[in-house]
Amino acid sequence: MIRPGSPRSGTGHRSQEEDQPRPGHDARQPTAAERVRTLVETNASAALTIPGAELGHSVPESRAVSPTGDVLLLVPTDSPAARATVFALDDDVTSVMEITDVAPVAVPHRIRGRGWVAGWLTAVPAAERHAAARLLAERHPAGPAPGPAWTLLRLEVGEAYVDDLWGADHVEPEEFAAATPDPLSPHEAELLQHLAAAHEGQLRSLCNLLGDRGAACEAWHGVAPLSLDRHGLRVRFSTGNACFDARFEFPEPVRDVVDLRRAMRQLFETAATN
């Protein structure tokens, strides 16, 4: 199997100009398996390729993870991935899905990370299509329903890899199957956009929590919320061509948006009194 992180045409590690600043790893953080699983189950851009075949890439319209850890994909019937599974008959087709995570707000170095899931691609058997379609509809209620124009595929995970704000890590299939996506991921884009549009002053006040480094925050003209997960908020400060990230942890992991509102209010109140 081709290792998902191996550089090759169209995939691989970020180029030098896309490198992200990465804070230290003493903070609480999601595991590599949780980060890959979250990427797979979000609406981040994904491309499906067949290594060694000059077929081009396929863009899944929607995707979900089955209870056994397989990735279910809805692709156009005339896409390279769908055609490859038809030509292979009952044989597995080795495939790699690359997911690109782009910040939903304007920041320097907007690509937050990439994930790769490599494994074996097959068409979903007729007996399992109803359950697979139902799961996809739950994850993507506004997406298209399977029909003649669409094909349901299943990617059995062989290995996965993530290279993101936290670092670069491999993930075994058992870890991927057991992981759960971050509970805030369905709402993250909307929440970050709201923070950027309506709470710039409060975001700037977080400099008060940065100790000695916070004293220099006035020189950093740009401030934007970069990422949000159950453990905390990451903010990017920038000026000119330079930038740095600061991570602000919640007192305890949040479970939902209600918990998040409480945690954010406490965070901003603490910053205002420092």
Side-chain angles (χ1 to χ4, degrees):
M1 168 159 314
I2 291 184
R3 190 166 288 277
S6 301
R8 59 183 182 84
S9 177
T11 64
H13 299 286
R14 290 189 300 270
S15 61
Q16 186 66 32
E17 63 270 20
E18 294 174 326
D19 281 345
Q20 300 276 10
R22 290 173 177 168
H25 292 275
D26 54 342
R28 290 196 308 268
Q29 59 181 279
T31 67
E34 289 169 339
R35 283 144 49 202
V36 174
R37 184 75 181 254
T38 297
L39 278 178
V40 169
E41 299 207 43
T42 63
N43 291 323
S45 174
L48 194 63
T49 58
I50 313 297
E54 301 298 328
L55 299 174
H57 67 268
S58 305
V59 178
E61 180 67 21
S62 57
R63 54 189 187 264
V65 179
S66 74
T68 58
D70 294 333
V71 182
L72 301 173
L73 304 163
L74 187 66
V75 301
T77 299
D78 61 356
S79 66
R83 295 200 307 268
T85 58
V86 171
F87 294 148
L89 298 178
D90 294 328
D91 291 336
D92 295 329
V93 176
T94 302
S95 183
V96 179
M97 181 170 64
E98 178 179 349
I99 306 165
T100 303
D101 180 28
V102 180
V105 296
V107 290
H109 309 295
R110 198 164 177 179
I111 296 178
R112 301 189 297 187
R114 289 190 172 95
W116 294 265
V117 179
W120 301 276
L121 197 65
T122 56
V124 174
E128 300 175 20
R129 286 176 194 161
H130 179 71
R134 186 172 64 247
L135 182 58
L136 279 168
E138 291 172 359
R139 299 288 190 272
H140 304 275
W150 301 95
T151 296
L152 272 170
L153 300 178
R154 176 173 56 200
L155 180 63
E156 180 187 349
V157 177
E159 58 183 339
Y161 187 83
V162 63
D163 186 2
D164 62 6
L165 296 166
W166 293 107
D169 292 285
H170 284 97
V171 175
E172 296 299 325
E174 296 80 8
E175 296 173 314
F176 178 84
T180 55
D182 190 88
L184 297 183
S185 64
H187 316 286
E188 187 201 20
E190 180 183 358
L191 291 167
L192 292 180
Q193 289 165 357
H194 173 73
L195 285 171
H199 296 279
E200 181 181 353
Q202 289 170 298
L203 291 171
R204 288 190 179 278
S205 75
L206 296 176
C207 285
N208 297 332
L209 305 178
L210 296 181
D212 293 340
R213 194 170 197 180
C217 271
E218 290 300 322
W220 299 87
H221 304 299
V223 56
L226 180 63
S227 68
L228 184 64
D229 58 58
R230 71 181 185 278
H231 297 297
L233 169 71
R234 190 187 301 257
V235 177
R236 179 157 294 173
F237 298 88
S238 60
T239 182
N241 294 322
C243 61
F244 78 90
D245 288 355
R247 173 82 175 176
F248 302 94
E249 289 189 352
F250 302 139
E252 58 186 25
V254 301
R255 296 166 296 180
D256 51 32
V257 174
V258 174
D259 276 0
L260 174 67
R261 292 195 185 101
R262 187 180 305 113
M264 291 298 298
R265 183 168 58 250
Q266 182 177 349
L267 178 63
F268 287 143
E269 288 175 352
T270 302
T273 58
N274 268 261

